[in-house]
């Protein structure tokens, strides 16, 4: 297996990189969302950044994802034809689109199932993503890509390890391929009728007693955890929490059972996209050595949102969901205003939480702004213009917003859970609190408010901005694990 890729500049690569190049590994990533083409949350960001970082290490990387009705990004996929896919005992045709960007090849699976207004949230989501998973080997083979390893993300792609091991009608070279499953959020597992799932997927009936089975039903994420050669999740603390039974949504016993097959690898962030020194969306660039621009970004944000008065700005950039503890934050609003904070709330989600955020803004528009939209450009300005960012998540597999905030010199005030606990050092580059309770959140915000505008705050801000969050570090860890499961030792 000797393949060397021209895009690697040999003068720049490290010994580690060279090993990857000589290994010439071909990896197929499979994700239901990949930014900028599609994104509802952090999964889209990670499925975009990790493949690029792996390609930089010299791996040959392809990403397969659905061809949704609305795709973001500047370039549209090029339709190259249809391919036949076994599904539900018959053969179906799906469209194949491709494009290449940043050293990564993307393949899009086209089917009426994906030509809908939203990415998910439909009653037949499980059927849609079984169809997608079934199509993955066929579309990869269609473009001549037979991988050495398949890396599936979250429940939507979690049937692939079982398909590779037991599925009928796979293209040449796919049967028995090693597989990796990454859990970005164990809350979503993909459940369905067992017989129906086996029938649609073309899996043998004997698997009804396998890892696919969960309390009488099929559970796609559970099948992935059981059948994959390696299961990763997106922070070491979340990996530990899952096996300890916290936030495991019924799968902790299995995760304990798979033992060392589960590892936590911390996500990075896209440091080129999230760079206050070079960010087209913000009022004035700044960095750790020349932080003055941050004050200009703050004033611009106040003006944009109609905020008045003085006092530190506390931002929220989040999905409005129970997981994210937005209810805790909203319940704390009166106390936070009392402490002198002003608030900027940006995000969409649960209708009740959105209504409560809108009501808080209506009640005190000069001190509370709520923008209940998905607006990436505004998110940049909130990270840059705020002094602190609240991340009161009940559980958080990794969390990207706290790392982005730190890079923008905006100190996170977060619950000590999952990736938040792994990326924030209390009173050094942010603030952590324990219980998922309004009182604990308020206490942490009071500590932060009293530190604000002191020399200690400036020191913390400098520390936060100096943190290295580059994806390359994580990518090297994934590569080491890939090599482990493939038995590559040189
Ligand atoms: C999910 C998790 C989040 C994580 C992201 C990317 O959205 O909830 O914590 O950062 O996936 O892995």
């Amino acid at each position: 297996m000797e393949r060397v890729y021209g895009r690697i500049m040999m003068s720049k690569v490290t010994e580690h990189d060279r090993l990857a190049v000589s290994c010439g590994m071909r990896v197929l990533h499979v994700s239901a969302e990949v930014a900028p083409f599609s994104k509802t949350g952090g999964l889209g960001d990670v499925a975009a950044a990790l493949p690029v970082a792996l390609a930089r290490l010299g791996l040959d990387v392809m990403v397969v994802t659905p061809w949704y009705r609305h795709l973001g990004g500047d370039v549209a996929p090029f339709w190259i034809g249809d391919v036949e896919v076994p599904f539900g005992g018959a053969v179906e045709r799906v469209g194949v689109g491709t494009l290449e960007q940043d050293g990564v090849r993307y393949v899009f699976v086209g089917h009426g199932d994906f030509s809908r207004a939203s990415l998910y949230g439909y009653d037949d989501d499980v059927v849609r993503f079984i169809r997608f998973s079934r199509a993955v080997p066929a579309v990869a083979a269609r473009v001549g890509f037979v991988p050495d390893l398949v890396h599936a993300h979250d429940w939507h792609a979690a049937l692939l390890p079982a398909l590779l091991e037991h599925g009928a009608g796979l293209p040449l070279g796919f049967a028995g391929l090693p597989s990796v499953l990454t859990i970005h959020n164990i809350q979503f597992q993909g459940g369905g009728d067992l017989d129906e799932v086996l029938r649609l997927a073309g899996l043998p009936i004997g698997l009804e007693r396998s890892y696919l089975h969960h309390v009488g039903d099929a559970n796609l994420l559970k099948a992935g955890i059981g059948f994959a050669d390696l299961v990763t999740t997106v922070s070491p603390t979340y990996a530990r929490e899952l096996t300890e039974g916290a936030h495991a949504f019924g799968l902790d016993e299995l995760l304990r059972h798979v033992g060392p097959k589960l590892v936590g690898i911390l996500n990075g962030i896209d440091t080129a996209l999230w760079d206050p020194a070079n960010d087209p969306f913000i009022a004035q660039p700044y960095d750790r050595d020349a932080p003055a621009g941050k004050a200009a970004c703050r004033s611009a944000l106040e003006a944009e949102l109609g905020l008045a008065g003085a006092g530190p700005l506390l931002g929220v950039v989040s999905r409005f969901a129970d997981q994210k503890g937005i209810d805790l934050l909203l319940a704390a609003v009166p106390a936070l205003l009392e402490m002198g904070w002003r608030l900027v709330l940006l995000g969409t989600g649960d209708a009740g939480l959105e209504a409560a955020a809108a009501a808080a803004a209506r009640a005190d528009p000069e001190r509370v702004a709520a923008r209940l939209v998905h607006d990436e450009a505004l998110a940049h300005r909130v990270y840059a213009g705020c002094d602190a960012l609240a991340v009161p998540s009940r559980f958080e597999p990794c969390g990207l917003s706290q790392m982005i905030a730190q890079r923008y010199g905006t100190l996170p005030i977060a619950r000590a859970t999952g990736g938040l606990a792994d990326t924030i050092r209390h009173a050094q580059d942010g603030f952590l609190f324990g219980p998922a309770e309004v009182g604990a959140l308020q206490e942490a915000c009071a500590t932060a408010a009293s530190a604000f505008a002191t020399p200690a705050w400036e020191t913390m801000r400098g520390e936060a901005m100096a943190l290295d969050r580059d994806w390359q570090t994580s990518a090297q860890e994934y590569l080491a694990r890939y090599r482990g499961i493939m038995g590559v030792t040189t």
Side-chain angles (χ1 to χ4, degrees), residues 9 48 72 124 159 183 185 249 293 310 325 381 390 455 489:
M9 289 171 57
D124 60 346
L159 199 57
I183 303 170
N185 191 338
F249 292 88
R381 295 195 287 277
T489 49

Side-chain angles (χ1 to χ4, degrees), residues 41-43 46 154 183-185 234 267 319 323-324 395-400:
L43 169 64
V46 174
D154 268 354
I183 303 170
H184 296 264
N185 191 338
V234 286
N267 288 331
R319 275 188 295 121
Q323 176 201 340
K324 301 289 182 181
F395 68 93
E396 196 58 81
C398 178
L400 303 172

Side-chain angles (χ1 to χ4, degrees), residues 438-457:
V438 182
L441 167 64
Q442 282 175 195
E443 215 173 291
C445 290
T447 308
S450 57
F452 181 67
T454 65
W457 185 278

Side-chain angles (χ1 to χ4, degrees), residues 174-198:
F174 281 79
L177 281 176
S179 58
V180 177
L181 171 75
T182 295
I183 303 170
H184 296 264
N185 191 338
I186 207 164
Q187 186 175 9
F188 308 108
Q189 301 179 358
D193 179 77
L194 201 45
D195 292 335
E196 182 70 353
V197 167
L198 291 172

